[in-house]
Amino acid sequence: MGASHSPAGTTKVVTRFAPSPTGFLHIGGARTALFNLLFARHHGGEFRLRIEDTDRARSTEPAIAAILDGMSWLGFDHDGEVVYQFARAARHAEVAHQLLSLGHAYRCYATPAELEAMRAEQRAAKQPMRYDGRWRDRSDWPNDQPYVIRLKAPREGSVTIDDLVQGPVTVANAELDDMVLLRSDGTPTYMLAVVVDDHDMGVTHVIRGDDHLNNAFRQLALIRAMGWPEPFYAHIPLIHGADGAKLSKRHGALGVDAYRDEMGLLPEAVENYLLRLGWGHGDDEIISRKQAIEWFDLAGVGRGPARFDMKKLESVNGHYLRAADDARLVDLIAGRVAAGLGRNLTDGDRNILQRSMPELKKRAPNLNELASGSLFFLRSRPIPMDDGATKLLASAPPGLLATAATALGAATDWSAPTLEAVARGLAETLGLKLGQVAQPLRAAMTGAAQSPGLFDVMAILGRDESLGRIADAQEMMEEGR
Ligand code: GLU
């Protein structure tokens, strides 16, 4: 099947992301969504979203909200309305009854106890546990007894799926039993629902995790029984942790909201990283959405499991932070900065953040560090000193801060180049290296031994605040002596 039928190009490509809302939108799901999105966009097709909420006990409203929220944060915009699977149960049942009347399905009256006994025998005989088809050819249906509807699947021969990632995969029909389509209470099974929905939504390419490869053979038998067009399949290897083990929470198998809120990552960075996780285009690492749409193909998806690497993700994030618009970054860190200061931000604070952003974003790997690295600008005097700053001040040449304050105070203007010229002149006069003058000043100004460019910092803080911080540091040293 597959490759031989309905080549892409004659029909419009339709893909879908079909998460079960039993938990957050995790990183593996997000990657599946991205691949479906890119494939559809590459072919000028449609990318649909279907919430598979048939498992009533495990599907929750908060999980649905988290999935929708995660998709919109990542900018994974789907076409058309969201399809909710549970709402389509009547349509699923209709197809089961259609198969019954076509003779491709049958009523099975086996009771749970009978089926249990059958499985116990199979277990004892060390045979694979499969429904044995005991009602397949019977028509002596008991009146008023509950029954399920099972697919009358082919028993001879084999099925081969030309998977667009895995290559050809073959299973003998003898290995597949007659699966239940409709339960005795009239509710559809998940297998039936998926096939009917994919058909009704016009899905041409089923791109999903390879944990669903086994399902594809059963789903195909159902599609063939209905005589529906067969989709192409692409089963993507799952994501593993950096240590090669299956991805768990410890490795970063968290909801995408954790990448946004707890790790402070940008959505475009997460997207770029996910794209590279299991797909490649030469050595390219930084790939925009536009470029990805142009380049994406299923042939570039690797067959081995991809390894999740948090360090790499942060380095990609650092790249996108440096490229991001300053006003946007101010908005993104505002909440974190306010929490760090323990107060709301004023317009003046925002203005300082905006002006310091070009310097601040050069170093930060994520929004958390961008926010914490900006706090010193906004703290009220006297600002706290960390150990590195305290040591720098303690080892500064005696009287340096007082001399520096006088020289800086006499500066003709308070711009970074002028301040730097003053500091250089002072170092020369005192026979010191520039660093010997600049480092204690940095400590006074920022409370740390490392910071963005000192003279830029001073220019942003302004004359009064800068001289005030120098005075505070002097006082602190005098108290320390
Ligand atoms: N609902 C399934 C899941 O979340 C996906 C089914 C499919 O893609 O066919 O794993």
Side-chain angles (χ1 to χ4, degrees):
M1 73 123 254
S4 58
H5 110 99
S6 170
T10 60
T11 338
K12 179 164 75 171
V13 165
V14 180
T15 64
R16 78 333 188 246
F17 175 49
S20 304
T22 52
F24 40 51
L25 172 59
H26 58 86
I27 206 77
R31 188 189 58 163
T32 300
L34 176 62
F35 285 12
N36 276 286
L37 170 76
L38 294 176
F39 188 81
R41 297 282 173 263
H42 177 86
H43 290 282
E46 275 181 24
F47 167 59
R48 306 290 313 271
L49 175 63
R50 181 170 75 232
I51 302 289
E52 302 211 312
D53 54 352
T54 31
D55 183 343
R56 299 316 283 167
R58 293 177 62 226
S59 300
T60 68
E61 279 303 322
I64 293 175
I67 290 168
L68 298 178
D69 181 47
M71 294 285 286
S72 98
W73 178 63
L74 288 164
F76 292 175
D77 300 334
H78 58 87
D79 298 303
E81 297 285 310
V82 180
V83 172
Y84 290 88
Q85 192 160 62
F86 180 66
R88 295 178 34 83
R91 165 67 180 147
H92 304 146
E94 178 186 272
V95 171
H97 286 286
Q98 218 174 321
L99 284 164
L100 200 56
S101 55
L102 287 169
H104 292 315
Y106 61 93
R107 300 170 184 211
C108 167
Y109 286 87
T111 64
E114 262 178 75
L115 292 175
E116 190 33 57
M118 174 193 82
R119 281 191 285 265
E121 267 176 45
Q122 289 170 342
R123 222 181 346 252
K126 297 214 161 30
Q127 286 166 352
M129 280 187 277
R130 271 184 219 126
Y131 174 68
D132 58 7
R134 56 184 64 190
W135 280 91
R136 196 175 155 102
D137 298 309
R138 281 172 70 171
S139 52
D140 53 332
W141 304 318
N143 282 332
D144 303 329
Q145 292 298 310
Y147 63 88
V148 302
I149 297 181
R150 286 183 186 271
L151 180 71
K152 199 179 240 178
R155 295 188 141 176
E156 315 292 319
S158 64
V159 197
T160 299
I161 290 180
D162 277 322
D163 193 277
L164 297 177
V165 170
Q166 309 286 336
V169 190
T170 301
V171 163
N173 281 325
E175 284 177 36
L176 309 170
D177 59 7
D178 291 343
M179 65 176 164
V180 175
L181 302 175
L182 209 60
R183 300 187 189 89
S184 57
D185 63 1
T187 58
T189 58
Y190 168 70
M191 284 299 203
L192 174 64
V194 170
V195 168
V196 174
D197 290 348
D198 279 346
H199 170 262
D200 290 1
M201 291 164 75
V203 171
T204 58
H205 292 73
V206 172
I207 305 169
R208 59 187 176 192
D210 67 6
D211 49 336
H212 287 284
L213 180 59
N214 285 333
N215 289 342
F217 294 98
R218 293 171 181 282
Q219 291 169 0
L220 196 54
L222 183 43
I223 292 167
R224 289 182 174 173
M226 284 302 289
W228 283 341
E230 297 170 15
F232 292 96
Y233 289 100
H235 288 94
I236 318 165
L238 298 182
I239 302 173
H240 285 206
D243 56 4
K246 209 176 157 238
L247 201 63
S248 69
K249 271 205 170 159
R250 181 170 55 86
H251 297 113
L254 304 163
V256 295
D257 54 318
Y259 290 79
R260 174 186 61 200
D261 303 334
E262 286 157 38
M263 299 176 217
L265 303 176
L266 295 176
E268 62 268 38
V270 173
E271 171 177 341
N272 190 147
Y273 180 71
L274 286 178
L275 171 65
R276 290 286 295 103
L277 204 52
W279 179 85
H281 183 272
D283 291 334
D284 293 298
E285 289 294 346
I286 299 298
I287 304 173
S288 67
R289 168 83 63 93
K290 192 167 170 284
Q291 200 82 75
I293 290 174
E294 210 172 290
W295 288 341
F296 189 78
D297 59 353
L298 292 167
V301 177
R303 283 196 200 180
R307 291 195 179 206
F308 186 85
D309 179 349
M310 194 62 206
K311 283 231 162 60
K312 186 103 178 273
L313 174 52
E314 286 223 311
S315 104
V316 173
N317 195 61
H319 169 90
Y320 281 98
L321 273 181
R322 291 188 289 281
D325 176 66
D326 293 339
R328 174 183 172 213
L329 292 176
V330 172
D331 282 341
L332 287 173
I333 63 169
R336 291 171 169 88
V337 173
L341 294 173
R343 61 173 171 83
N344 289 331
L345 298 189
T346 63
D347 288 348
D349 292 331
R350 283 184 166 267
N351 191 281
I352 289 180
L353 289 177
Q354 172 80 26
R355 283 192 292 142
S356 56
M357 201 49 79
E359 284 297 316
L360 288 172
K361 71 184 182 184
K362 283 183 190 160
R363 289 163 191 78
N366 57 51
L367 295 171
N368 296 332
E369 290 190 29
L370 188 62
S372 62
S374 76
L375 292 178
F376 76 86
F377 273 114
L378 307 180
R379 289 211 195 270
S380 318
R381 293 177 39 210
I383 61 164
M385 297 280 152
D386 71 14
D387 287 350
T390 310
K391 274 197 199 116
L392 271 177
L393 289 173
S395 57
L400 175 77
L401 286 184
T403 318
T406 310
L408 290 165
T412 49
D413 69 279
W414 202 263
S415 68
T418 304
L419 296 171
E420 179 167 356
V422 171
R424 282 188 188 279
L426 183 66
E428 212 169 302
T429 313
L430 299 176
L432 298 172
K433 290 194 188 115
L434 178 62
Q436 289 174 289
V437 172
Q439 280 302 82
L441 283 175
R442 183 190 307 282
M445 221 53 64
T446 69
Q450 270 134 27
S451 77
L454 172 65
F455 303 108
D456 294 306
V457 168
M458 289 173 74
I460 291 167
L461 287 174
R463 187 175 193 279
D464 292 351
E465 180 70 22
S466 300
L467 294 177
R469 289 188 182 197
I470 297 175
D472 291 343
Q474 270 175 280
E475 206 169 298
M476 198 192 86
M477 285 165 66
E478 274 154 27
E479 276 165 16
R481 282 204 177 112

